[in-house]
Amino acid sequence: MKLAHLVEPGSKLKLRDIDPRDKGPFDDKQDSKIAELSAKLNARLCTLQERLFAEQKRGVLVVLQAMDTGGKDGVLRHVVGPLDSRGVMVQSFKAPNSEELAHDYLWRVHQHTPKKGQMVFFNRSHYEDVLVVRVLGLQPKDVWSKRFDQINDFERMLTAEGTRVVKVFLHISRAEQKQRLEERLKDPDKRWKFEAGDLEMRALWDEFQGAYEDALSRTSTREAPWYVVPADRKWFRDLAVAKILVDLLEDMDPRYPEPHLDLGKLVVPD
Ligand code: AMP
Ligand code: MG
């Protein structure tokens, strides 16, 4: 079953062609098939992640990107939250501090790429350096435009060294963002999420969508593909992300290690 949209390497992505309200084969939120599939995917994901951790041979890097209110934190809570915290790390990237700015843009992300056995989720990432940096003109074009190839090289190196890389763009509509921002303004329990810059960023919606289209088109590769996840419906978004992760881990097929002792001969004393 296909829920998310793979950005075919070498193709030109048009976000307008992907409906953020897509709900795949499902009728509505009450569909019992949804709860069933969700439970099945989450259980499978937990098992596979445990195996990856037990195996201690390979890592997984999951990059999460979205427009503001796109649901990165929701995915982290619902899909990543239930996983075994020993083998999972979440790293968020905000506007770089002075130490980070004094280095190249990959320096701060490279420190957080996964160890063997680990799954690391990036909440924003090095992609900000070809997105917000481009849209706000924080660097000139001749600097950010070279970064697509640099990022592909970086991710190719990670892959060759034993880290699987998968990238997910949570695709919400402009109307859905308006509604979510309005909730943040009105609902006392959500006000804390509202940030001063959110409205200025929203005013640049089209510029950001264009920057995303370029970034995803230029950096979706066989070894480190991008998926676009329709994300206006939170339940669909979570299912689609869980499915991407399960498919990736199934493909990796991590195995529990063989015991290094002859456990059959050991007896647990009374
Ligand atoms: P949030 O994820 O809502 O907490 O916001 C983090 C903010 O940091 C966003 O507005 C990002 O655009 C910004 N940010 C992240 N990485 C960079 C970067 N490399 N350069 C400039 N701003 C960034
Ligand atoms: Mg924010």
Side-chain angles (χ1 to χ4, degrees), residues 21 37 76 96 116 122 131 139 160 220 226 254:
R21 299 195 62 75
L37 179 62
L76 291 169
K116 292 184 193 325
F122 279 0
L131 293 165
Q139 292 284 346
S220 194
W226 270 106

Side-chain angles (χ1 to χ4, degrees), residues 68 124 184 193 195 198:
D68 286 327
R124 301 187 193 271
R184 289 185 182 185
K193 295 190 199 176
E195 283 169 290
D198 285 352

Side-chain angles (χ1 to χ4, degrees), residues 24-269:
F26 305 106
D27 292 339
D28 60 44
K29 201 177 164 178
Q30 269 63 52
D31 194 332
S32 62
K33 274 193 303 187
I34 295 170
E36 212 176 286
L37 179 62
S38 165
K40 209 174 101 189
L41 284 174
N42 288 342
R44 188 74 191 136
L45 187 54
C46 283
T47 304
L48 287 163
Q49 185 252 317
E50 185 184 65
R51 283 201 210 160
L52 184 84
F53 183 63
E55 188 191 65
Q56 288 290 310
K57 285 191 179 153
R58 295 167 289 172
V60 173
L61 174 61
V62 183
V63 169
L64 284 176
Q65 286 286 159
M67 300 290 284
D68 286 327
T69 76
K72 294 183 277 79
D73 297 299
V75 163
L76 291 169
R77 234 180 6 258
H78 299 128
V79 182
V80 181
L83 300 179
D84 188 330
S85 61
R86 282 174 301 179
V88 171
M89 209 189 68
V90 175
Q91 185 63 42
S92 299
F93 294 97
K94 308 281 179 190
N97 63 28
S98 56
E99 176 74 1
E100 290 166 343
L101 281 173
H103 288 85
D104 68 86
Y105 69 102
L106 291 174
W107 178 78
R108 69 171 181 164
V109 290
H110 201 170
Q111 303 173 58
H112 298 288
T113 53
K115 303 180 206 180
K116 292 184 193 325
Q118 217 178 22
M119 282 186 94
V120 174
F121 293 82
F122 279 0
N123 180 347
R124 301 187 193 271
S125 63
H126 44 300
Y127 283 94
E128 293 293 331
D129 294 282
V130 290
L131 293 165
V132 68
V133 164
R134 170 182 181 172
V135 172
L136 298 188
L138 302 177
Q139 292 284 346
K141 180 170 182 181
D142 72 304
V143 171
W144 60 253
S145 62
K146 293 193 179 85
R147 291 179 173 171
F148 301 117
D149 290 340
Q150 293 162 359
I151 288 172
N152 287 338
D153 286 343
F154 173 62
E155 293 177 357
R156 196 174 304 119
M157 181 279 290
L158 292 179
T159 309
E161 292 286 322
T163 296
R164 282 290 286 263
V165 181
V166 67
K167 300 165 309 203
V168 176
F169 173 62
L170 306 176
H171 178 40
I172 56 164
S173 64
R174 190 177 183 140
E176 181 68 22
Q177 191 195 51
K178 180 174 164 71
Q179 205 171 326
R180 292 185 188 181
L181 284 172
E182 279 171 352
E183 273 167 40
R184 289 185 182 185
L185 289 175
K186 280 189 218 130
D187 183 344
D189 294 348
K190 292 190 177 171
R191 272 184 214 149
W192 64 275
K193 295 190 199 176
F194 191 83
E195 283 169 290
D198 285 352
L199 299 183
E200 283 91 347
M201 293 297 203
R202 177 171 168 77
L204 296 166
W205 178 273
D206 290 338
E207 288 82 351
F208 270 104
Q209 296 281 298
Y212 267 109
E213 288 179 337
D214 282 351
L216 272 57
S217 304
R218 294 283 306 273
T219 62
S220 194
T221 59
R222 287 273 160 243
E223 52 288 358
W226 270 106
Y227 289 90
V228 178
V229 166
D232 273 12
R233 299 171 199 270
K234 295 174 181 172
W235 59 267
F236 184 84
R237 168 200 79 197
D238 292 344
L239 272 187
V241 174
K243 179 79 166 63
I244 291 169
L245 300 180
V246 166
D247 287 350
L248 175 79
L249 286 165
E250 296 276 15
D251 185 57
M252 291 175 75
D253 193 20
R255 302 292 174 97
Y256 291 116
E258 291 299 324
H260 49 280
L261 296 168
D262 189 355
L263 298 184
K265 290 204 180 116
L266 297 179
V267 178
V268 181

